[in-house]
Amino acid sequence: MATSTMRWYALAALALSTLAIGLDTTILSVALPTLSRDLHASTGDLQWFTNAYLLVLAAVLLPAGMLGDRFGRKKLLLGALFVFGAASAACAWAASAGQLIAARSILGLGAAVLMPLSGAVLTVLFDERDRSKALSVWLTASALGIPLGPLLGGWLLDNFWWGSVFLINVPLVALALIAVALWVPESHGDRTRRFDPLGVLLSAAGLVALTYGIIEAGDRGWGDARSLSTMIGGAVLLAAFAGWQRKARAALVDLDLFRSRAFTGGAVLATLASFAMLGLLFALPQYFSAVGGQDAFGSGLRLLPVIGGLLVGARTAEKLAARAGHRLVVAFGLALITAAMVVGSRTGAGSGYGFVAAWITVAGIGLGFTMPPSMDVALGALTPQRSGVGNGLLQAMRQVGGAIGVAILGTVLAGAYRDHLPPAAPPVARQSAAAGVEATAHDPGLLHAVQTAFTHGMDVSLLVAAAVAGAGAILALVLLPGHSPAAPMEGERRVLAESSL
């Protein structure tokens, strides 16, 4: 009984860690218009506020999972929480866009250790009978950060300076440090795996180059030679990384994981869902601010249908998956996202909030049907010995999908917005919609033109997201097994869980 109780206390500690990460994911979204004004940030800077965090996160997730397996997950969790708290304070007092981007990178480093290792501990502590429930609690804690982020962020922005949205992480981190120290047991995975410095270098450099090229293309145009060469260089580095992983003795990525149909399908589909979700959360707060004239708190409130839909969808999906199987549930979820994005692409500058709330609710339900079930399938395919590396790979793929989603959809939005601006619009309006609204506030005609241009850009980006989600719905039927396989090596999982406690 004591052992069982300790497991759930440990889960509570891990949930606090993921709550801080989930909070940080969306609290920034409502601050983007304010940061654009106060730090004189361009659309490219706004993308980098998100992507600097996501890229470091994605680049470090894989080695973090391996290091946790080898040296102890609890030790690294405690260190990562300290880094996350210190970086949050650095973000709060950043004096320029460059300083904020640097601090967000360090924040991503802390999150990169927290995410795979907390998931790895869950895989060890809970067997198949309790894993789904524990995973649901863990994911719900992260999901709770999504609605709390906009609401807390909006209230803080309306009452304090913008740095307060980052300081909110500090008390959460302090509580998590105490909880992890008291309740999370030490655990290890495969201690024999060696470090792969070349793999880390190739993957990190490739991801940064590819995403940087996409963002630069949004500013310079898709035909710009420098942007194209950077994207091609990033793709070449990632191809070299894949080739190196096939022959490296101490490969960073355990390619044998992809022999599992369940892991491959779950990881790919969770990645596509992250692409759609983070791309949507990048555009909507700017739409509510620039077109709807909402303050930060009002923008946060208007994001709640996405989150409510996600939570309802996740609860419903868990019950349906037990009867119909994960394949049909995930495919249906991606189909819902596709339909919602297509309907959303009809949004105009004069659209009422009721129309917007309806389609973003459906998008949230689709995300709930897609994300938790696809992750459950992937995690269920992992053995305890591979839980750290496997969770790191799964989270890395999700975060890369989010980073690429923000980069591509943000670039599409920015390009279509600028192309739709009238010649009479002031040059500063080309930097961002927030700058355009501020510069044309005295001219109702030009103000409406700027708002219409931004709405057009968002609509085009939603169509791109719909195409990705639609492809995912088809892939779900192909990649996912009809029924989720039993958790591998159950006896080994139970022995490790009990010995770690």
Side-chain angles (χ1 to χ4, degrees), residues 240-253:
F241 168 72
W244 169 248
Q245 295 305 287
R246 289 191 179 94
K247 60 183 181 181
R249 277 188 170 185
L252 181 63
V253 173

Side-chain angles (χ1 to χ4, degrees), residues 288-308:
F288 293 139
S289 174
V291 179
Q294 299 297 322
D295 58 19
F297 185 73
S299 296
L301 283 175
R302 281 159 179 76
L303 282 174
L304 285 179
V306 178
I307 312 311

Side-chain angles (χ1 to χ4, degrees), residues 107-473:
L107 199 68
L109 179 64
V113 178
L114 291 174
M115 293 182 69
L117 296 191
S118 59
V121 170
L122 288 184
T123 307
V124 171
L125 291 180
F126 296 93
D127 58 21
E128 184 185 12
R129 181 184 57 190
D130 293 327
R131 190 192 66 236
S132 179
K133 185 185 297 183
L135 179 63
S136 178
V137 171
W138 186 59
L139 289 173
T140 299
S142 179
L144 281 175
I146 298 176
L148 288 177
L151 291 175
L152 280 175
W155 182 79
L156 289 169
L157 286 168
D158 289 342
N159 293 276
F160 304 97
W161 103 110
W162 59 263
S164 60
V165 303
F166 297 106
L167 288 181
I168 196 66
N169 289 333
V170 175
L172 275 178
V173 166
L175 287 174
L177 274 169
I178 296 171
V180 169
L182 290 176
W183 296 324
V184 173
E186 186 61 278
S187 63
H188 298 80
D190 184 356
R191 301 191 191 188
T192 64
R193 289 178 65 87
R194 298 179 180 178
F195 196 64
D196 180 16
L198 182 58
V200 173
L201 180 63
L202 288 173
S203 63
L207 286 171
V208 171
L210 179 63
T211 306
Y212 180 77
I214 293 172
I215 292 175
E216 284 294 293
D219 288 335
R220 299 172 177 270
W222 289 98
D224 177 66
R226 190 174 82 175
S227 301
L228 285 174
S229 61
T230 306
M231 282 188 283
I232 292 171
V236 169
L237 287 171
L238 290 176
F241 168 72
W244 169 248
Q245 295 305 287
R246 289 191 179 94
K247 60 183 181 181
R249 277 188 170 185
L252 181 63
V253 173
D254 186 354
L255 295 180
D256 287 343
L257 290 171
F258 290 107
R259 294 183 179 180
S260 166
R261 184 180 174 189
F263 180 84
T264 301
V268 168
L269 296 169
T271 299
L272 294 180
S274 295
F275 180 104
M277 181 174 71
L278 287 181
L280 188 66
L281 291 176
F282 178 80
L284 281 175
Q286 297 183 74
Y287 170 79
F288 293 139
S289 174
V291 179
Q294 299 297 322
D295 58 19
F297 185 73
S299 296
L301 283 175
R302 281 159 179 76
L303 282 174
L304 285 179
V306 178
I307 312 311
L310 190 154
L311 295 175
V312 171
R315 282 291 187 89
T316 307
E318 182 180 355
K319 298 175 182 178
L320 289 179
R323 298 181 178 180
H326 289 77
R327 178 169 60 190
L328 292 178
V329 170
V330 173
F332 179 67
L334 286 163
L336 281 179
I337 295 173
T338 304
M341 297 297 185
V342 170
V343 172
S345 70
R346 307 301 299 172
T347 303
S351 297
Y353 176 67
F355 172 75
V356 176
W359 70 262
I360 64 177
T361 299
V362 175
I365 294 172
L367 287 168
F369 269 73
T370 304
M371 187 76 75
S374 58
M375 288 185 63
D376 191 28
V377 170
L379 291 174
L382 297 175
T383 66
Q385 290 296 319
R386 290 180 171 180
S387 62
V389 174
N391 269 280
L393 179 57
L394 173 61
Q395 302 297 347
M397 291 178 65
R398 284 185 58 214
Q399 299 307 320
V400 169
I404 298 299
V406 170
I408 291 180
L409 298 179
T411 296
V412 169
L413 188 158
Y417 161 69
R418 284 195 294 268
D419 290 344
H420 214 65
L421 283 173
V428 70
R430 298 183 62 81
Q431 292 183 7
S432 67
V437 167
E438 187 174 358
T440 59
H442 62 283
D443 188 329
L446 276 180
L447 174 62
H448 180 73
V450 167
Q451 292 172 332
T452 300
F454 179 83
T455 304
H456 170 74
M458 185 181 76
D459 291 346
V460 174
S461 72
L462 289 175
L463 286 176
V464 174
V468 172

